[in-house]
Amino acid sequence: VTISGTAFVDGASVTFGGTLATGVTVVNSTTITCTTPAHAAGAVDVVVTNPDAQSDTLVGGYTYDAPPEVTSITPTHGPASGGTSVTISGAAFVDGASVTFGGTLAAGVTVVNSTTITCTTPAHAAGAVDVVVTNPDSQSDTLVSGYTYDAPPEVTSVSPTHGPASGGTSVTISGTAFVDGATVTFGGTLATGVTVVNST
């Protein structure tokens, strides 16, 4: 940060909320540069103290921004191909924030307000992934395994494998990653009475 004022002297120290800054350089009598120390979020006083112990305070002169906090995501799962619109809830979201799912950047990120972000999931391999929100100041928060990419269904067999052209044959389809609400087509025509017994 750059501090402007008057009567700065070589050897001056700077504190932010009572904590010493590092890398203090008195450029000249009106300019000091330094690096802020860590501090809890909120406005703090900035104090410059010359070597002769004379000092001045800029009350509430610097504000530490709170890091983002991710509390939930809706929905919590979607296809591995991505493209799912999701809403992320939390706190201290800032315009320009980015979102990653399993390390891959989401698209269409919109910071609706400080507690809500909407975005579109990128494609990713199936499984649970971390969701990370990063504000423009590089502060971030992670919702560990906050989103799950569903594996696509895989059909391995149909029993029986044939029946009359009039339809009406009860068949059992075997495979993996079947989900309630799945549909089945035969030659492009929807089957009836579809029951997902289990994931296989």
Side-chain angles (χ1 to χ4, degrees):
V1 296
T2 299
I3 301 171
S4 298
T6 58
F8 299 152
V9 175
D10 283 340
S13 62
V14 180
T15 61
F16 289 76
T19 304
L20 281 168
T22 58
V24 177
T25 300
V26 179
V27 179
N28 53 45
S29 63
T30 62
T31 306
I32 291 176
T33 61
C34 62
T35 301
T36 60
H39 196 282
V44 297
D45 295 347
V46 180
V47 181
V48 174
T49 304
N50 279 341
D52 62 4
Q54 295 188 95
S55 65
D56 190 43
T57 302
L58 186 62
V59 177
Y62 186 83
T63 300
Y64 283 91
D65 298 326
E69 180 182 357
V70 182
T71 56
S72 66
I73 185 169
T74 305
T76 58
H77 65 95
S81 57
T84 302
S85 294
V86 299
T87 299
I88 301 171
S89 299
F93 299 151
V94 176
D95 283 340
S98 63
V99 180
T100 60
F101 288 76
T104 303
L105 282 169
V109 177
T110 300
V111 179
V112 179
N113 52 44
S114 63
T115 62
T116 305
I117 290 175
T118 60
C119 62
T120 302
T121 60
H124 196 281
V129 298
D130 295 347
V131 180
V132 181
V133 173
T134 303
N135 278 341
D137 63 3
S138 297
Q139 296 188 98
S140 64
D141 190 43
T142 302
L143 187 62
V144 177
S145 297
Y147 186 82
T148 300
Y149 283 93
D150 301 325
E154 180 181 357
V155 180
T156 56
S157 66
V158 177
S159 179
T161 59
H162 61 92
S166 58
T169 303
S170 293
V171 299
T172 298
I173 301 171
S174 298
T176 59
F178 300 154
V179 177
D180 284 339
T183 60
V184 179
T185 62
F186 288 77
T189 303
L190 282 168
T192 58
V194 177
T195 300
V196 178
V197 180
N198 53 43
S199 63
T200 63

